[in-house]
Amino acid sequence: DIQMTQSPSSVSASVGDRVTLTCRASQDIRTWLAWYQQKPGKSPKLLIFAASSLQRGVPSRFTGRGSGTDFTLTISSLQPEDFATYYCQQANSFPFTFGPGTKVEIK
Amino acid sequence: QVQLVESGGGLVRPGGSLRLSCTASGFIFSDYYMSWIRQAPGKGLEWISYISDGGTSIYYADSVRGRFTISRDDAKNSLFLQMDSLRAEDTAVYYCAKIAIFGADYWGQGALVTVSS
């Protein structure tokens, strides 16, 4: 199975900050990567698919980049509703696997 | 709009069984892979099972293989997860998810399964 890692495990930031989260795959997954946002007590929500494509309805302050094994999710100007945990997930091959998540907390 | 509604969660003793159901609407259910994904309290997401459109391809994570069985009834737009020989470590919120080629584009609200004596 393809292993996914994320860094940092948590980050403290303020409203308006630019935040970049990193995800790494244990092998080449081309651009078969998705990012999800999960708030406490809620289901995960798809933000980005195919590494850089924004899911319908997701604000443009979210940007995904990368290919191969290294990927980033950038929030250009953090908003109060963005404080959540973010998971990456590879879709290159079954079984799809998730990273352990990065928690974005309020500074 | 796409809706996925899980049911069947609850408290069960170790070694017991439980059957989760997921009723789908808003899309052509029979055309899509479907999946169960779980999240233990305070932990991350674990993809535990998927079933292809038509049901010919099925996957189980090592953690549940031999104990859980996924199935679908396309006539009823429903997905199921039969969970047997439950263990304390199976305690989690279980999500039903619709699978697109890149992952899970729609999720249910989740069903809490608690395994405890």
Side-chain angles (χ1 to χ4, degrees), chain B:
Chain B
Q1 71 282 20
V2 172
Q3 278 199 304
L4 298 168
V5 179
E6 300 98 336
S7 60
L11 174 64
V12 61
R13 295 188 186 278
S17 298
L18 213 54
R19 189 190 197 213
L20 300 181
S21 300
C22 171
T23 301
S25 60
F27 65 102
I28 302 173
F29 181 77
S30 58
D31 282 354
Y32 290 90
Y33 277 57
M34 295 295 296
S35 186
W36 290 99
I37 299 165
R38 72 181 179 184
Q39 187 170 37
K43 302 296 185 181
L45 300 165
E46 180 186 17
W47 211 298
I48 60 168
S49 186
Y50 68 73
I51 185 168
S52 64
D53 53 320
T56 54
S57 179
I58 286 176
Y59 160 82
Y60 298 104
D62 289 345
S63 56
V64 306
R65 187 175 294 118
R67 300 186 298 121
F68 290 11
T69 304
I70 192 171
S71 61
R72 63 190 297 160
D73 183 340
D74 289 345
K76 296 182 178 179
N77 289 346
S78 294
L79 177 73
F80 306 101
L81 186 68
Q82 177 66 40
M83 303 185 293
D84 298 320
S85 303
L86 282 161
R87 307 166 179 167
E89 54 265 36
D90 295 319
T91 294
V93 174
Y94 286 73
Y95 295 103
C96 164
K98 171 181 170 288
I99 304 305
I101 57 171
F102 47 80
D105 56 352
Y106 290 94
W107 301 60
Q109 84 285 357
L112 176 62
V113 173
T114 303
V115 184
S116 175
S117 55

Side-chain angles (χ1 to χ4, degrees), chain A residues 30-85:
Chain A
R30 296 170 288 172
T31 56
W32 291 104
L33 187 95
W35 289 95
Y36 300 87
Q37 176 194 65
Q38 187 180 31
K39 298 180 181 179
K42 300 295 187 181
S43 307
K45 172 189 171 184
L46 177 67
L47 296 178
I48 286 174
F49 61 93
S52 60
S53 296
L54 212 58
Q55 175 72 341
R56 190 167 44 228
V58 174
S60 58
R61 63 181 179 272
F62 291 92
T63 303
R65 291 191 173 91
S67 66
T69 59
D70 295 315
F71 302 86
T72 59
L73 173 68
T74 297
I75 310 171
S76 59
S77 177
L78 205 60
Q79 298 301 300
E81 60 268 29
D82 300 336
F83 292 95
T85 299

